[in-house]
């Protein structure tokens, strides 16, 4: 049982698989984030890196965007590829196999707040908002604004 009365999720990628080909993020922020993540992983998890299979290590070493880095890490943890990993970690789960994904099981009122100009996550990650809010027991709500960026909502 959930201990929450209500919940709010800001700037969620309901289906992160749509993020894999989001060119704006690949150009704007992913190179910096990827470089920072690689340095952090090399510094704090060097004992894990030395045990990676060679092909996975090379994918990690040459990753220039987040999906490429995620593929190296997720394959090490048994996922087939980034698409499989993103399907498992997304709020919706495997939305194509089950048209309501995990959303149908939401028993606590849940509001998703997203902006269409989010530079981190494409609006395509929101799927079909109408079908999402009409799935399950009616506990899912979405507020989608034209502007607001990622988490910030600053003027």
């Amino acid at each position: 049982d959930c201990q929450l009365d209500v919940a709010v999720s800001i700037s969620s990628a309901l289906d992160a698989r749509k993020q894999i080909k989001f060119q704006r993020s690949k150009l704007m922020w992913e190179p910096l984030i990827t470089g920072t993540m690689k340095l952090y992983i090399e510094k704090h998890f060097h004992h894990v890196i030395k045990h990676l299979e060679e092909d996975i290590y090379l994918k990690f070493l040459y990753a220039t965007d987040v999906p490429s880095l995620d593929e190296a890490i997720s394959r090490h943890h048994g996922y087939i590829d980034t698409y499989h990993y993103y399907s498992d970690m997304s709020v919706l789960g495997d939305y194509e196999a089950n048209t309501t994904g995990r959303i149908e099981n939401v028993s606590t009122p849940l509001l998703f707040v997203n902006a269409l100009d989010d530079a981190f996550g494409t609006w395509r990650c929101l799927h079909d908002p109408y079908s999402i809010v009409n799935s399950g027991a009616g506990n899912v709500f979405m507020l989608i604004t034209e502007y607001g960026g990622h988490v910030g909502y600053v003027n």
Side-chain angles (χ1 to χ4, degrees):
D1 275 332
C2 181
Q3 300 298 313
L4 300 174
D5 293 326
V6 296
V8 177
S9 176
I10 299 174
S11 299
S12 295
L14 301 181
D15 185 350
R17 294 174 295 184
K18 304 296 181 186
Q19 189 66 26
I20 293 172
K21 295 182 181 175
F22 186 40
Q23 292 302 314
R24 183 171 52 174
S25 70
K26 283 184 184 287
L27 298 173
M28 288 179 66
W29 64 270
E30 286 189 25
L32 175 65
I33 294 289
T34 303
T36 304
M37 288 173 63
K38 285 168 55 175
L39 289 173
Y40 180 83
I41 291 168
E42 288 170 344
K43 181 178 179 182
H44 296 285
F45 296 96
H46 53 86
H47 57 284
V48 173
I49 292 173
K50 66 183 176 185
H51 296 290
L52 293 176
E53 297 170 19
E54 184 177 352
D55 64 323
I56 293 174
Y57 175 73
L58 290 174
K59 282 190 179 293
F60 169 80
L61 190 64
Y62 294 112
T64 58
D65 57 38
V66 173
S68 299
L69 184 60
D70 284 345
E71 182 169 347
I73 301 301
S74 62
R75 285 193 46 219
H76 176 69
H77 291 285
Y79 290 95
I80 298 166
D81 55 20
T82 309
Y83 190 84
H84 179 219
Y85 171 59
Y86 285 4
S87 174
D88 193 39
M89 72 165 217
S90 293
V91 173
L92 291 178
D94 191 357
Y95 196 78
E96 278 88 23
N98 177 0
T99 56
T100 54
R102 296 181 183 121
I103 293 292
E104 71 181 5
N105 298 321
V106 172
S107 59
T108 300
L110 171 61
L111 171 64
F112 291 102
V113 180
N114 289 79
L116 294 176
D117 70 341
D118 187 335
F120 276 68
T122 174
W123 59 269
R124 288 176 181 86
C125 290
L126 302 177
H127 255 289
D128 176 11
Y130 183 78
S131 68
I132 290 170
V133 298
N134 286 304
S135 65
N139 288 316
V140 177
F141 305 89
M142 295 183 86
L143 172 61
I144 302 170
T145 62
E146 186 175 356
Y147 302 103
H150 187 75
V151 184
Y153 289 92
V154 203
N155 286 332

